[in-house]
């Protein structure tokens, strides 16, 4: 066990008092703050880095998935995700990638950072950058204030309501509310921008030639196939989605540090492999500012979304978000993809695939799934909601809902619920789902006319 030192008691400067304080400036956190501010709340937004956008910006994960159902006939996601895409389109900073279920979107991460800055400033939100949350003050089930530590030192922010969109439970866990995590976390990844690789197809072909030299450059091949993605910027630059790295706990400082250094080492090795097989001398242009983290902690909430509910298309009276991204569970043994239409693909570490069905083909399938508001309400919390990957969902369900177009909606729902809870002077658990959903739709969310889909119980999800 580590030894402990003790700090002397000290005064902490109060940086401000607000209706709402959002911890975590990912798209999820920004969207929570913007929706609340548009409903008249004074809002503080706290981000530990220098850029808003989280995985989409700092980690350079530059793809948002389809906003339509699986057959491409109905748009099921709107709100600020759609607004951000349209702003990017005006800057020629997004490309549609056509699929059967409608377009997915590949965007310029740096341009998205500018879009998020504009949303924050236009909404009158008070931003705090390079300001990790280091302590939380509580009175029973109520959070009274958070303490940040930035260039001005330790400062306190007091608010009537809080949203934890930190991803790791920086408020939730410090406040003592229940949290849990899987015994084996999904792997992290790391991205870099590189030039001189040609098109996505040319880069993929170069990788196939270079992989034979992996041992020469110390590049492990297990679960390490890179993914090359278009990066809209007017130049020949690709986003190189790097190798998955297992056994990294991004909520633990030492594990995070080791993971970052190993991720950068692997990207350097990958680049040297590609350089050895190319006449174009490809090279790095920019490295991501953070790891691509899939999972750390989850809140103990009033409802845990299950894989059975998700894959069965279960309808909830308090649905606040939709999605279609398949169950996508990564592990050292491989990756399992389980689709709403009953297909399943298991990718093994050696690159081979097993294709099969988990639901018989004759059975009708849902075209989207739903997320209930109860999965954002921590047990025993009176003025705290979680948003983003802190959502309470089992391993199977979380493998699907963790993607950004889904998590963005949880941020919007939390922001609107905070405004409504303060307006009604009640805890979020007492809110009318009908009123919450109506207010979300007024702001552009797509929730009206949910389909109640009922099917037989699907097979329990498991990793390969």
């Amino acid at each position: 066990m580590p030894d402990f030192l003790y700090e002397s008691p000290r005064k902490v400067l109060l940086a401000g008092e607000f209706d709402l304080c959002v911890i975590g400036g990912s798209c999820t956190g920004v969207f929570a703050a913007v929706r609340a501010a548009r409903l008249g709340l004074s809002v503080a937004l706290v981000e530990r880095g220098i850029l808003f956008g989280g995985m989409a910006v700092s980690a350079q994960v530059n793809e948002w998935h389809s906003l339509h159902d699986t057959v491409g006939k109905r748009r099921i996601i709107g709100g600020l995700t759609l607004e951000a895409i349209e702003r990017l389109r005006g800057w020629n900073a997004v490309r549609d990638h056509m699929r059967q279920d409608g377009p997915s979107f590949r965007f310029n991460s740096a341009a998205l950072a500018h879009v998020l800055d504009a949303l924050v400033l236009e909404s009158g939100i008070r931003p705090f950058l390079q300001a990790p949350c280091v302590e939380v003050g509580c009175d029973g089930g109520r959070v009274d204030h958070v303490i940040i530590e930035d260039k001005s030192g330790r400062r306190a922010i007091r608010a009537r309501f809080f949203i934890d969109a930190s991803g790791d439970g920086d408020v939730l866990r410090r406040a003592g509310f229940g949290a849990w995590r899987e015994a084996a976390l999904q792997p992290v990844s790391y991205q870099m921008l590189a030039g001189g690789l040609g098109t996505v197809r040319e880069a993929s072909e170069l990788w196939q030639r270079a992989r034979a030299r992996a041992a020469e450059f110390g590049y492990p091949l297990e679960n390490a196939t890179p993914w090359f993605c278009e990066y809209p910027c007017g130049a020949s630059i690709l986003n190189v989605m790097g190798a998955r790295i297992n056994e990294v706990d991004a909520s633990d400082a030492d594990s995070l540090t080791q993971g970052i250094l190993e991720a950068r080492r692997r990207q350097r090795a990958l680049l040297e492999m590609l350089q050895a097989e190319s006449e174009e001398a490809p090279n790095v242009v920019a490295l991501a500012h953070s790891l691509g983290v899939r999972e750390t902690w989850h809140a103990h909430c009033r409802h845990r979304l299950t894989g059975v509910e998700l894959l069965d298309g279960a309808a909830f009276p308090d649905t606040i978000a939709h999605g279609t991204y398949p169950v996508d569970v990564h592990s050292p043994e491989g990756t399992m993809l389980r689709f709403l239409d009953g297909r399943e693909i298991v990718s093994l570490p050696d690159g081979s695939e097993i294709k099969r069905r988990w639901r018989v083909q004759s059975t009708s399938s849902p075209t989207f799934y739903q997320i209930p508001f109860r999965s954002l309400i921590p047990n025993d919390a009176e003025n705290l909601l979680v948003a983003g990957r802190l959502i309470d969902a089992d391993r199977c369900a979380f493998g699907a809902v963790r993607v950004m177009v889904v998590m963005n909606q949880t941020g919007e729902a939390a922001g609107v619920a905070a405004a409504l809870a303060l307006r009604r002077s009640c805890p979020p658990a007492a809110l009318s789902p009908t009123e919450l959903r109506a207010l979300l739709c007024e702001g552009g969310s797509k929730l009206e006319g949910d389909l109640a889909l009922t099917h037989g119980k699907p097979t329990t999800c498991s990793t390969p």
Side-chain angles (χ1 to χ4, degrees):
M1 294 291 293
D3 293 328
F4 290 94
L5 300 177
Y6 292 89
E7 290 184 297
S8 300
R10 52 180 166 171
K11 294 181 180 179
V12 177
L13 180 69
L14 182 63
E17 297 188 60
F18 303 86
D19 294 322
L20 171 66
C21 178
V22 179
I23 302 296
S26 63
C27 292
T28 299
V30 170
F31 290 177
V34 170
R35 288 295 292 263
R38 288 180 177 179
L39 290 170
L41 269 59
S42 61
V43 182
L45 177 59
V46 178
E47 164 55 32
R48 63 186 176 186
I50 67 168
L51 296 169
F52 294 123
M55 295 298 98
V57 175
S58 295
Q60 290 176 192
V61 182
N62 72 317
E63 181 170 21
W64 281 349
H65 296 91
S66 174
L67 308 185
H68 288 74
D69 63 11
T70 57
V71 293
K73 292 183 178 180
R74 180 186 184 200
R75 185 160 59 78
I76 59 169
I77 300 173
L80 286 168
T81 297
L82 181 61
E83 183 175 330
I85 290 169
E86 293 308 315
R87 292 193 184 209
L88 287 169
R89 201 180 302 283
W91 294 356
N92 195 30
V94 65
R95 300 284 184 273
D96 294 359
H97 182 63
M98 296 308 299
R99 301 156 47 101
Q100 178 182 346
D101 58 352
S104 60
F105 307 93
R106 294 177 179 174
F107 52 83
N108 183 308
S109 294
L112 179 60
H114 286 302
V115 167
L116 298 175
D117 281 352
L119 285 169
V120 168
L121 297 175
E122 290 168 8
S123 302
I125 294 165
R126 169 74 186 277
F128 294 84
L129 293 174
Q130 287 191 291
C133 172
V134 297
E135 192 55 81
V136 177
C138 284
D139 182 7
R142 295 189 62 81
V143 179
D144 177 74
H145 64 272
V146 296
I147 295 178
I148 62 174
E149 189 150 14
D150 58 14
K151 285 294 185 180
S152 295
R154 289 171 76 93
R155 299 195 286 171
I157 300 172
R158 178 172 283 151
R160 299 163 63 200
F161 205 100
F162 293 82
I163 294 173
D164 190 340
S166 67
D168 299 323
D170 291 349
V171 178
L172 177 85
R173 294 191 294 133
R174 287 184 171 92
F177 296 115
W180 64 277
R181 58 180 174 177
E182 298 285 357
L185 298 174
Q186 294 200 55
V188 299
S189 60
Y190 192 64
Q191 281 62 256
M192 67 177 173
L193 301 183
L197 290 171
T199 65
V200 170
R201 179 176 178 178
E202 290 168 338
S204 299
E205 292 172 349
L206 178 59
W207 157 252
Q208 292 303 323
R209 298 197 302 271
R211 63 178 295 151
R213 307 182 70 166
E216 176 185 346
F217 292 92
Y219 186 82
L221 284 177
E222 295 79 11
N223 295 310
T225 300
W227 176 40
F228 302 96
C229 184
E230 178 186 12
Y231 192 82
C233 64
S236 180
I237 292 175
L238 296 181
N239 193 9
V240 183
M241 306 283 188
R244 294 183 292 276
I245 304 176
N246 293 294
E247 298 180 358
V248 173
D249 180 358
S251 68
D252 177 85
D254 293 334
S255 181
L256 178 63
T257 297
Q258 295 167 7
I260 290 171
L261 292 174
E262 174 59 15
R264 285 207 288 260
R265 187 200 69 78
R266 292 191 189 188
Q267 285 287 45
R268 184 70 238 173
L270 171 62
L271 195 59
E272 290 174 349
M273 290 164 57
L274 299 176
Q275 289 171 339
E277 289 294 323
S278 173
E279 298 178 359
E280 301 298 325
N283 216 326
V284 63
V285 174
L287 293 170
H289 287 209
S290 68
L291 288 175
V293 180
R294 292 179 173 87
E295 177 183 28
T296 54
W297 290 88
H298 301 278
H300 277 297
C301 291
R302 290 179 171 265
H303 180 83
R304 180 165 299 167
L305 182 66
T306 69
V308 169
E309 292 170 326
L310 180 132
L311 288 166
D312 209 32
F316 303 99
D318 58 342
T319 290
I320 47 81
H322 296 153
T324 61
Y325 187 74
V327 172
D328 180 4
V329 178
H330 298 249
S331 74
E333 291 75 34
T335 302
M336 178 193 71
L337 289 171
R338 185 167 285 180
F339 298 84
L340 287 173
D341 64 6
R343 292 178 295 126
E344 180 174 291
I345 301 174
V346 179
S347 299
L348 300 176
D350 62 5
S352 62
E353 290 185 343
I354 300 172
K355 295 182 178 181
R356 57 197 180 199
R357 296 193 65 85
W358 65 270
R359 176 190 281 143
V360 295
Q361 194 160 4
S362 60
T363 304
S364 61
S365 299
T367 60
F368 66 96
Y369 48 77
Q370 305 182 31
I371 297 174
F373 177 55
R374 287 163 291 161
S375 295
L376 309 183
I377 307 175
N379 292 333
D380 303 319
E382 298 176 21
N383 67 335
L384 172 68
L385 289 169
V386 298
R389 66 174 194 262
L390 281 168
I391 186 174
D392 199 348
D394 71 15
R395 188 170 183 82
C396 181
F398 185 73
V401 303
R402 62 179 173 78
V403 296
M404 288 179 280
V405 293
V406 181
M407 294 292 92
N408 292 350
Q409 297 170 81
T410 68
E412 295 186 66
V416 171
L420 190 57
L422 292 177
R423 183 184 300 176
R424 296 286 176 256
S425 299
C426 70
L431 290 175
S432 160
T434 301
E435 188 176 16
L436 173 59
R437 284 163 49 84
L439 198 53
L440 277 165
C441 291
E442 286 179 18
S445 299
K446 296 291 289 185
L447 297 173
E448 65 276 15
D450 286 333
L451 302 177
L453 300 173
T454 304
H455 303 282
K457 296 289 186 182
T459 305
T460 301
C461 285
S462 58
T463 54

